[in-house]
């Protein structure tokens, strides 16, 4: 059974930083691209970042480029999202997902339960 468990969310002031983690089990982690998505209240789920399984290529949404960094540790079956210079607009539930290396949520077949990130102004 595939499980993705996010952690590291919380409340932070604007300009602050958080590091999200997603621990995976039940899948050949190193063979999958990993992605981070987020969903704010009343909005659709949106792509944040993704990392490829082999070379560790990365892609980001324009809104987070230069502020967020995705990384992975295949030995620990864990993907991370380092979030710096956080803005109130970053407030959302953040989900990690395993699947194909792209921005489309439909290409990710396994999802975590999400972790809340709240940025106060």
């Amino acid at each position: 059974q595939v499980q993705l468990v996010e952690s590291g969310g919380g409340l932070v002031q604007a300009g602050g930083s958080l590091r999200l983690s997603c621990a995976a089990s039940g899948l050949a982690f190193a063979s999958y691209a990993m992605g981070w998505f987020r969903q704010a209240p009343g909005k659709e789920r949106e792509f944040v970042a993704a990392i490829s399984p082999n070379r560790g290529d990365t892609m980001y949404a324009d809104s987070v480029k230069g502020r967020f960094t995705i990384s992975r540790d295949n030995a620990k079956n864990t993907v991370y999202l380092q979030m710096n210079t956080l803005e109130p607009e970053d407030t959302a539930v953040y989900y990690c997902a395993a699947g194909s290396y792209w921005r489309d949520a439909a290409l990710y077949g396994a999802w975590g339960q999400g972790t809340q990130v709240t940025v106060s102004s």
Side-chain angles (χ1 to χ4, degrees):
Q1 181 180 359
V2 176
Q3 273 197 315
L4 301 176
V5 180
E6 301 97 335
S7 61
L11 173 64
V12 64
Q13 287 190 330
S17 298
L18 282 175
R19 188 195 196 201
L20 304 183
S21 299
C22 173
S25 61
L27 77 168
F29 180 79
S31 299
Y32 286 88
M34 298 299 295
W36 285 97
F37 292 77
R38 67 187 181 185
Q39 188 166 18
K43 295 188 176 181
E44 293 187 354
R45 188 171 300 189
E46 66 174 358
F47 169 78
V48 175
I51 187 166
S52 69
N54 297 319
R55 298 191 305 175
D57 295 333
T58 58
M59 63 172 73
Y60 298 91
D62 288 344
S63 59
V64 307
K65 199 173 296 183
R67 299 188 298 122
F68 291 10
T69 302
I70 188 171
S71 61
R72 66 190 297 160
D73 185 337
N74 289 341
K76 295 183 178 179
N77 285 4
T78 301
V79 62
Y80 305 97
L81 186 68
Q82 178 67 44
M83 306 186 295
N84 298 329
T85 320
L86 282 160
E87 304 168 352
E89 294 74 22
D90 295 317
T91 295
V93 177
Y94 283 71
Y95 300 89
C96 74
S100 298
Y101 181 57
W102 197 236
R103 302 168 183 263
D104 187 349
L107 296 180
Y108 292 80
W111 291 82
Q113 82 289 348
T115 186
Q116 177 71 47
V117 171
T118 303
V119 184
S120 63
S121 56

